[in-house]
Amino acid sequence: MTGALREKPKKITTHVLQEMKLHGEKITMLTAYDFSLARILDSSGIDVILVGDSASNVMAGYMTTIPITLNEMIYYASAVVRGVKRALVVVDLPFGTYQGNSKEALNSAIRIMKETGAGAVKLEGGEEIQESVERILSAGIPVMGHLGLTPQSIHKFGTYVVRATDKDEADKLVKDAHILEDTGCFSIVLEKIPALLGEKVAREVKIPIIGIGAGKGVDGQILVTHDMLGVTQEFSPRFLRRYHNLFTEIRGAVENYITDVKKCDFPNEREQY
Ligand code: KIV
């Protein structure tokens, strides 16, 4: 960190994130999909909470982010917002609710803002969704972009490998980042791209760039909380640092509970009325 805001802001806004970039203070972002976890993240001092469509994988057990619906995102997001006092809450527009039809995109974003109380929405894509981004912004709704590996396009990519390793794709990504900035996005997530490219984009655009597998030269980092806490086990990309092994810890606790109940050790005298 090369600098930090002198006073901790009471509430994180898009303006505060911009200030953090200007001061060289890294932005921290994690995902949440429920009230209890959101409350823990917020009390830890996280800057931004993303109600990601990764809920499709993590909460609902689907293989991709494609199946999750707008109603489901609204259900998760409103629970998260109820648990948050300080962080900026950003909600993913799910697949099929904004691509190709800017009026539908606006209606989806309005539903998210009205029915959840979140502070912003996130959309995947660049030039091809520019009209949708413009229309949402025209209603006063802050928009975060998402470039690089965009999981809603997994059937086009065919694989979750690192994106933009060739010049054409890298050039398009840089161009898209400028388009999103010029259109009025307040920030962009870059997923799974070479570190040098992440650094270049963060240097060239003025809005904060948040990376997930985009190296250390960007303005902030996001991880899926269930991955970094080790609740999920099957997913181990190079960019993922695990801070805990909750799968094993929770399983151990549940095994102890089962043992205690089976041997009539729980509840004991002090645990009953
Ligand atoms: O849905 C999600 O969790 C995301 C992050 C991986 C950036 O989009």
Side-chain angles (χ1 to χ4, degrees):
M1 184 169 80
T2 56
L5 293 177
R6 268 169 302 227
E7 277 180 39
K8 284 269 166 242
K10 283 204 175 65
K11 178 83 191 134
I12 302 292
T13 60
T14 58
H15 175 76
V16 171
L17 298 180
Q18 188 63 59
E19 288 282 300
M20 288 168 85
K21 172 155 181 155
L22 282 174
H23 286 81
E25 177 178 352
K26 295 285 187 189
I27 296 163
T28 58
M29 183 164 168
L30 284 170
T31 57
Y33 321 104
D34 70 276
F35 170 82
S36 304
L37 185 60
R39 207 153 62 141
I40 298 172
L41 299 187
D42 194 51
S43 70
S44 313
I46 201 79
D47 297 315
V48 187
I49 295 179
L50 174 68
V51 185
D53 59 359
S54 50
S56 183
N57 312 100
V58 174
M59 301 303 283
Y62 291 115
M63 291 296 288
T64 71
T65 58
I66 307 283
I68 199 161
T69 65
L70 186 58
N71 283 343
E72 286 165 339
M73 289 302 295
I74 288 171
Y75 174 80
Y76 291 129
S78 51
V80 166
V81 169
R82 286 193 287 274
V84 172
K85 291 197 175 82
R86 176 180 174 274
L88 175 69
V89 177
V90 180
V91 183
D92 267 339
L93 282 192
F95 178 70
T97 65
Y98 61 95
Q99 295 95 340
N101 180 342
S102 62
K103 189 161 184 288
E104 194 186 352
L106 176 61
N107 289 339
S108 308
I110 286 177
R111 278 201 63 199
I112 285 187
M113 301 302 281
K114 266 180 110 81
E115 296 177 40
T116 73
V121 296
K122 176 163 84 59
L123 281 70
E124 294 183 7
E127 195 170 11
E128 55 289 349
I129 57 150
Q130 189 181 3
E131 199 185 308
S132 293
V133 173
E134 261 164 13
R135 196 132 180 202
I136 295 171
L137 286 165
S138 72
I141 300 172
V143 176
M144 176 178 259
H146 184 156
L147 298 171
L149 177 64
T150 46
Q152 291 178 12
S153 304
I154 185 57
H155 294 304
K156 182 178 85 178
F157 297 145
T159 155
Y160 287 100
V161 293
V162 184
R163 303 307 315 177
T165 49
D166 67 76
K167 188 170 178 326
D168 284 354
E169 199 177 326
D171 288 348
K172 171 158 168 41
L173 187 144
V174 174
K175 185 173 162 222
D176 279 341
H178 283 288
I179 288 172
L180 292 177
E181 174 178 42
D182 295 344
T183 307
C185 286
F186 72 90
S187 173
I188 302 170
V189 166
L190 293 184
E191 181 164 352
K192 215 167 178 188
I193 60 162
L196 285 178
L197 182 59
E199 193 181 333
K200 174 179 160 71
V201 175
R203 212 176 33 241
E204 283 192 16
V205 304
K206 295 197 172 52
I207 56 176
I209 299 297
I210 314 294
I212 172 163
K216 55 156 72 170
V218 291
D219 307 305
Q221 299 293 331
I222 174 163
L223 286 174
V224 170
T225 306
H226 289 66
D227 296 335
M228 61 85 89
L229 292 179
V231 178
T232 51
Q233 296 277 299
E234 52 291 323
F235 181 68
S236 279
R238 186 197 298 192
F239 66 74
L240 174 61
R241 185 178 294 182
R242 279 198 208 286
Y243 287 83
H244 225 300
N245 191 344
L246 274 192
F247 184 97
T248 309
E249 296 232 355
I250 294 173
R251 194 174 56 183
V254 172
E255 284 168 356
N256 288 341
Y257 167 75
I258 292 170
T259 306
D260 289 353
V261 172
K262 296 279 184 198
K263 66 179 194 206
C264 296
D265 181 59
F266 174 79
N268 63 23
E269 295 299 319
R270 280 169 286 107
E271 290 162 333
Q272 63 187 16
Y273 299 99

